[in-house]
Amino acid sequence: LHNKGSYHPSQLSHKKRRLGTKASLSDACYGIMNNNVKNETSRCNVCSNDFNSDPHIHIPGNLWSAKCDYVRKLIPPKLYDSS
């Protein structure tokens, strides 16, 4: 989690930050990522209140939660090729 929009405070930024935080830390997110949702099999590694695939796959606002084993597999930022 991070302080999205805190440098330019507004009512909208506050609402988005609160919603994103509440959603990413919710029991529903935990349940989806750990297959604890009744009648549902999930292959999700991350969870948030918003997910976009256009123009690229991303979670706006950077407010999300993830499985530790997923994060452990990510490329360290220093080794990531930005080209």
Side-chain angles (χ1 to χ4, degrees), residues 2 7 16 29 54-55 74:
H2 74 78
Y7 288 114
K16 285 182 177 182
C29 266
D54 187 39
L74 296 175

Side-chain angles (χ1 to χ4, degrees), residues 12-70:
L12 181 59
S13 289
H14 176 75
K15 286 181 180 180
K16 285 182 177 182
R17 191 170 51 251
R18 188 162 173 86
L19 175 64
T21 300
K22 187 174 182 178
S24 62
L25 297 177
S26 70
D27 289 340
C29 266
Y30 180 80
I32 289 168
M33 289 189 297
N34 292 289
N35 295 324
N36 294 335
V37 178
K38 190 175 181 180
N39 298 323
E40 183 174 324
T41 300
S42 174
R43 295 183 299 174
C44 295
N45 293 316
V46 298
C47 186
S48 79
N49 70 307
D50 194 5
F51 179 85
N52 290 339
S53 59
D54 187 39
H56 54 272
I57 295 173
H58 69 287
I59 296 173
N62 223 10
L63 297 162
W64 49 274
S65 58
K67 290 181 175 182
C68 292
D69 60 342
Y70 172 74

